[in-house]
Structures are given as structure tokens and as C-alpha cells.
Amino acid sequence: MKGAQYLETELVSRGIVFVIQSQSNSFHSKRAEDLKRDILKQAADLGKELPTVLLIHQIDRHEGAWTILPLMTDFSVTYGRNSSWIFFCEEDTRIQVIKLVETLRRFDKSKEWFLGKALYDEESTIIHHYAFAENPSVFKFPDFAAGWALSIPLVNKLAKKLKSEPLKSDFTIDLKHEIALYIWQKGEGPHLTPVPEFCTDDVNSYKVDHCATTFSNFLPLCGEPVNKEDVFVAVKTCRKFHGDRIPVVKQTWEREAALIEYYSDYADISIPTIDLGIPNTDRGHCGKTFAILERFLNHTSPRTPWLVVVDDDTLISIFRLRKLLSCYDPNEPVFLGERYGYGLGTGGYSYITGGGGMVFSRAAVQKLLASKCRCYSMDAPDDMVLGMCFSGLGIPITHSPLFHQARPMDYPKDYLSHQIPVSFHKHWNIDPVKVYFTWLAPNTEESSNGKKVGYNREDL
């Protein structure tokens, strides 16, 4: 490399602060540490001054650190003078540091830049509160798996705004969309600039020659999948759905579960359902869920390490879940699923949203029930109360983007293209049996290594 160009690359690489969107669970923190080591090794091999690499879960001043925006003030104070870029990525993002440096060099670091691989909604969707209903595809937001970057002038601007207008105490549902909305400021801030070098193709794909980032798009598997008998599945239902939702479960994923019980407000021997003695509520179901947790602890074999609680309109692959659970230690308190947040700008807590399925290790259920934390009313939202309880116990929830609170059609195609999903939720305006066999059935993947194969996925 010529002297002047080398010097420029040296300065740019020193100017990048890497932020890995990590989690404290032992499986995830190890993956993040591995990525950190790889970034530092690449920089050392290039003879460069080592960059700063931060792991979000270690920035523990904020319960809501994973929502990123509460960190902007700290980033501005700490890195606002001597850095040029904050580059965010997931633990499974793979980075070629030299290509990343070359890519960022194209952009004037004195300007406000929001860079990433662009996703967009083809139809307005409930998870984005039906934003841009007239033409949802106009609004672009970053695919975190490909990595995304903010220039320091933009970080400084966001920090200043947060000082004068604290974050609303509100829900965090789809962080990547909400961050893009916050940065855009109804047109006063920058749009996302798409960067073709930020990729989500697999590292071994023929398409990745130009890519600065790639993504490990496979289902995690750590040794053998857990045994069928190690997963107890609890389905929450009620009498009015016995006739339409339960037959879907029986036609689709029930056969994958060795241990499954249906909990209702009415004992129906044809299913069979178990009446827990908890009246059905139109919303919330907290009383029912806590009764299920008590039953799991007191009436199932103590050798069964995992409990999965799903709704009667959840579509799930127990086959894939057993692979995923091979990466977690059931002796640790694990609470796993799709993470949402409530009030994280001002304290608040994270929770696992119930529709995509909530996975508990027996150790987590034991710790929860040994505490005094319970429903404040029978129809309180069970998933939010559980989030509050675990937060109070200091037990972090563990996020997996493979669980989904909504239907496949509610997510950008590009986003789902690098996933092997574990669950979807809701039967509304879809054929749920078709969705299951298209997206979740065991025969849609090479069961030997979990690599994605070409699915024939229609617009479901």
C-alpha cells in the first residue's frame, strides 16, 4: 500500500469504534468475545493501532443498553473527539476490517451519516404500527446482521437531542425500525444510506467478494440436539378456540413434541385439555401462565430441563428448537425468545413477547417461583409481568431473532432470507398449515448441519 494511502487507512481504522450487540448469557457472550478477538487480530495483522471494541452487555449502567439510543450520550462524551465512526454489529456478523475501512473511507466523516444494509416493508405491518401505510417501502431501516454505522457528527447530534428531549417511556418492539425513525426525525435527520458492502450472505457464498461484512446464517447447534423428552410444551388455549386453533397444532407441529399439554378454561377429553381452574380472560393470561409454571415445577419430571409456553395460534418448530437449546445450559436461569422492551429510556425492563413462544430453563422457573413476584391481576399481560419479575431478580432475558411475534408476511423478505426461523404467530389472513409446512417443517432443511436450502416460499 502506498505511504499516503496506508496512513489514511491507519487513521480511519483508529477512528472506528466497534460495538457488538452482545448478550450476557454464557453462549452469547462467548460468541461476542470470539468476534472481538477476531477484529483485534485482524487489526494487529494489518499492523494497525488496535481499535476500541465494546460489548453492549458489559455496558451495564443501562438495563436498556441493547436499545442503543440511551448510550449515545456516553459515546459522544467518550469518542466524540478522537473517533470518526461507531460501527455496530451482531455476534454472528463477520467483518473484514480492511474492507470495512476502505468502505467507510468513501464517506465524508465530517458529515452526518447513517449507513447500513437497507430493509423495507412491502406492506404496512402491525410490528411497525402500520407506519408509512400509503407506501411502506419508502422508509429504509438497517439489517443489524450486516452491521450498521453512525458517523460521529450524527452521534453528537443524537446525544444533544437526547439531553433536551429524553426518550419516551414506551415500547421497544422492532429496534432497527425504531432507531431509523428516531434518526430520521420526520425528515429533519438523515435517511439510511444503503451500503452494498454491508452484506448478509453467508461467508462461504460466491456473492461475497465485494463484501466488508457477511453473516453466519445457520441455526446454532452445539453438539447433539436436546432430547425430545427434555422439552415440555405448554399450549395456552380456551374453549372458544378448541375447534379452530387446536386442529392446526395437531396437523402441524404437535407430532414434534414428546411432552405436550393443552391448558384451557374447560376440560375437553377429545384434545385433551386440562382445566387449570383459572377463568379465561380476554387479555393478559397472567394467572394461567403462572399456574402453568407451578404445574411444570411440581407435576413434571424434575429431569425435564426445558419448558416452552406457546399460544394456541403459535406456529413453532420443536425440531429446530431442540437444536437451538443445545447451546444453552439448563442449569443456568435461561429465559429465551423474542425480546421486546418497555420504558427502557427511563429505567423499565425487557421481556420475551409471548406469541413467538417463551422458553424457560427449569432453573429459571425455580428462581422465579421462589421469589415473591406474581401477577398484579389475573388478566395482567403475562409476558410483561415475567419480564418485570426476571428484571427484579437480576436474571437477564436472552433474545433470539429466530422467534417471531407476527406472521412471515409481516417481516421484510431480505430479513427472513438469512434466518432458519423457530416460530411465527397468528393465523390472521393466512393459511397457518401452509405457513408451517413452508417455513417451519423439519423437511425444509438439511437436518445434518442446519444450513439453509432453497425453500419454495410463496408470499405467506
Side-chain angles (χ1 to χ4, degrees), residues 91-159:
E91 65 191 33
D92 291 321
T93 310
R94 295 293 164 259
I95 301 165
Q96 290 205 47
V97 172
I98 190 79
K99 281 191 177 170
L100 178 63
V101 167
E102 287 165 2
T103 300
L104 293 178
R105 200 194 296 141
R106 289 208 310 270
F107 300 91
D108 179 349
K109 63 178 189 273
S110 67
K111 294 195 162 55
E112 292 173 8
W113 290 106
F114 175 29
L115 309 178
K117 180 187 175 188
L119 296 172
Y120 59 88
D121 292 329
E122 288 179 28
E123 300 173 24
S124 63
T125 169
I126 189 167
I127 55 174
H128 297 153
H129 306 294
Y130 300 106
F132 305 96
E134 295 297 300
N135 183 7
S137 66
V138 298
F139 187 72
K140 308 291 192 287
F141 50 99
D143 191 333
F144 286 170
W148 54 290
L150 302 177
S151 64
I152 287 296
L154 180 54
V155 171
N156 292 338
K157 177 184 168 184
L158 294 171

Side-chain angles (χ1 to χ4, degrees), residues 95-258:
I95 301 165
Q96 290 205 47
V97 172
I98 190 79
K99 281 191 177 170
L100 178 63
V101 167
E102 287 165 2
T103 300
L104 293 178
R105 200 194 296 141
R106 289 208 310 270
F107 300 91
D108 179 349
K109 63 178 189 273
S110 67
K111 294 195 162 55
E112 292 173 8
W113 290 106
F114 175 29
L115 309 178
K117 180 187 175 188
L119 296 172
Y120 59 88
D121 292 329
E122 288 179 28
E123 300 173 24
S124 63
T125 169
I126 189 167
I127 55 174
H128 297 153
H129 306 294
Y130 300 106
F132 305 96
E134 295 297 300
N135 183 7
S137 66
V138 298
F139 187 72
K140 308 291 192 287
F141 50 99
D143 191 333
F144 286 170
W148 54 290
L150 302 177
S151 64
I152 287 296
L154 180 54
V155 171
N156 292 338
K157 177 184 168 184
L158 294 171
K160 201 171 167 188
K161 180 177 167 53
L162 285 161
K163 222 172 192 167
S164 59
E165 285 175 52
L167 286 165
K168 290 192 191 80
S169 178
D170 206 356
F171 287 94
T172 304
I173 291 175
D174 184 13
L175 183 64
K176 54 193 178 296
H177 192 268
E178 289 153 30
I179 282 179
L181 274 177
Y182 189 85
I183 291 170
W184 177 60
Q185 293 296 332
K186 296 189 170 140
E188 289 176 26
H191 271 289
L192 179 74
T193 299
V195 177
E197 291 85 356
F198 291 1
C199 309
T200 51
D201 301 291
D202 191 77
V203 67
N204 299 315
S205 162
Y206 68 91
K207 297 180 193 166
V208 302
D209 286 350
H210 73 286
C211 294
T213 63
T214 50
F215 189 69
S216 307
N217 52 359
F218 56 85
L219 191 68
L221 178 63
C222 309
E224 288 297 308
V226 303
N227 293 328
K228 255 186 169 180
E229 295 71 24
D230 286 344
V231 181
F232 187 93
V233 185
V235 183
K236 293 184 298 182
T237 188
C238 61
R239 189 173 188 172
K240 69 178 175 185
F241 293 131
H242 288 186
D244 57 351
R245 292 185 180 179
I246 299 303
V248 171
V249 178
K250 290 185 173 289
Q251 280 179 68
T252 55
W253 59 267
E254 184 196 68
R255 70 196 77 165
E256 295 177 41

Side-chain angles (χ1 to χ4, degrees), residues 14-43:
R14 208 182 311 162
I16 303 172
V17 176
F18 291 86
V19 179
I20 302 171
Q21 293 170 248
S22 59
Q23 302 190 69
S24 58
N25 172 274
S26 56
F27 165 62
H28 292 282
S29 60
K30 181 185 180 306
R31 283 165 95 91
E33 292 284 2
D34 289 347
L35 176 55
K36 176 177 179 174
R37 261 195 303 277
D38 180 62
I39 293 167
L40 293 174
K41 182 179 184 306
Q42 286 187 58

